[in-house]
Amino acid sequence: MSVLEPLAARYAFWLGLPAEDTALMRSQRERALRAEDTSDEDPAEVRAMPVILRMERAEPPSRTALLEAAAAAAVAVCLDERAEPEGEWHDPLKAWVDGRIRKVARRARGAHWRAVQELPGITIEVDGAEARALLPCRVVETPKEVSRLQISGSELPADEPGPAPDGVPRLLLNPEVSMTVGKGSAQVGHATMILASLLDEAERVAWAETGFRCSVRTPPVATWKALCPVEDPEGSWRRDGVVAVRDAGFTEVDPGTVTVIAQRA
């Protein structure tokens, strides 16, 4: 059973996809409700996945490639063999996925980038851009190699990546919402996780063999509105293989904003 199984049930609950009426699914729907309500959340138990973006001063990466690397790194950690039930990463990942799935993107360069390579996680490189997703932990226990890194303060200009490659999942950014590269990294990482949670085992294996390659693009508004699955989530998944990321609204965007659409290959 994938560590992402609760995420599939939560997505079903949020957007109306059918979920089997079993004790397991009922329990996961109850967790989804608790994850939505943070009023009684213990700050000492808040967990997050650090996503480290390599942003060298002399040679900054392209924005699109960095987002693609971050998206692949997040799902790679979740589907790594160490995340399986007997693996060393399973318990920390399960505790994180069972609660509110927070990610915190930070930037690093030089010695600081090299230091985070020693922490549990996976680095993905796309077209010269590198991102490392780390094993989620309690925020109060964030390693010093991570906590000293800046969360904000750097931005990358929009680029023109050209046509998306065939045969890889598409991640479409909301063309009507502005996000920093850090916020965007967290959102595309959540998109790949939701998508992976709904794929079957053979599809996950095939995607893993590509290094979880995906494309990130900003579509025309008309394309976005045609694909956005909020009005018909079940039909959109069955017809177009599309799922949506709906943000909790803690930073940058309003609660409930659909920030990214993910479409299976």
Side-chain angles (χ1 to χ4, degrees):
M1 177 172 143
S2 167
V3 75
L4 294 176
E5 200 72 24
L7 183 55
R10 187 178 305 169
Y11 185 81
F13 174 81
W14 278 342
L15 290 186
L17 286 166
E20 294 176 12
D21 189 17
T22 65
L24 174 62
M25 286 298 184
R26 287 196 299 272
S27 173
Q28 289 170 348
R29 288 198 292 271
E30 289 167 3
R31 289 195 189 107
L33 284 171
R34 292 199 298 272
E36 285 281 276
D37 180 8
T38 61
S39 60
D40 62 349
E41 192 171 47
D42 181 355
E45 292 299 320
V46 174
R47 299 171 185 267
M49 169 186 275
V51 179
I52 315 302
L53 310 175
R54 187 177 188 183
M55 300 179 69
E56 299 290 346
R57 195 190 307 274
E59 297 183 19
S62 75
R63 182 185 179 95
T64 295
L66 190 59
L67 291 174
E68 291 177 351
V75 72
V77 168
C78 297
L79 295 185
D80 189 87
E81 62 182 12
R82 289 165 288 186
E84 295 175 2
E86 301 303 319
E88 61 191 282
W89 289 1
H90 179 77
D91 289 349
L93 279 165
K94 185 177 185 302
W96 175 59
V97 173
D98 275 351
R100 181 175 289 281
I101 301 176
R102 292 178 169 92
K103 298 183 185 70
V104 179
R106 299 174 184 262
R107 57 188 173 89
R109 59 174 178 262
H112 288 176
W113 171 254
R114 292 190 292 275
V116 299
Q117 303 307 303
E118 303 303 317
L119 300 173
I122 293 177
T123 297
I124 297 288
E125 183 270 330
V126 175
D127 295 337
E130 292 180 277
R132 182 170 182 82
L134 301 179
L135 190 65
C137 63
R138 293 182 178 88
V139 172
V140 296
E141 297 172 354
T142 300
K144 66 180 185 304
E145 295 91 342
V146 175
S147 61
R148 68 188 178 187
L149 302 176
Q150 297 267 345
I151 294 177
S152 60
S154 289
E155 188 49 37
L156 294 170
D159 56 356
E160 297 182 5
D166 294 330
V168 302
R170 295 197 306 161
L171 308 181
L172 303 179
L173 304 175
N174 189 331
E176 299 181 303
V177 172
S178 177
M179 293 184 286
T180 64
V181 70
K183 178 71 171 180
S185 295
Q187 298 300 292
V188 295
H190 200 65
T192 52
M193 287 174 58
I194 293 173
L195 187 60
S197 77
L198 296 175
L199 297 177
D200 63 33
E201 183 62 23
E203 290 173 314
R204 290 175 189 162
V205 169
W207 194 13
E209 289 174 351
T210 73
F212 298 103
R213 188 66 193 267
C214 55
S215 68
V216 175
R217 298 292 187 273
T218 301
V221 172
T223 301
W224 171 269
K225 290 183 175 179
L227 285 175
C228 192
V230 173
E231 296 300 323
D232 180 23
E234 181 182 356
S236 294
W237 176 248
R238 292 181 175 176
R239 181 180 62 251
D240 302 317
V242 166
V243 295
V245 176
R246 192 179 67 178
D247 193 68
F250 287 126
T251 61
E252 297 192 25
V253 302
D254 294 331
T257 300
V258 176
T259 54
V260 182
I261 293 171
Q263 186 173 34
R264 72 198 305 171

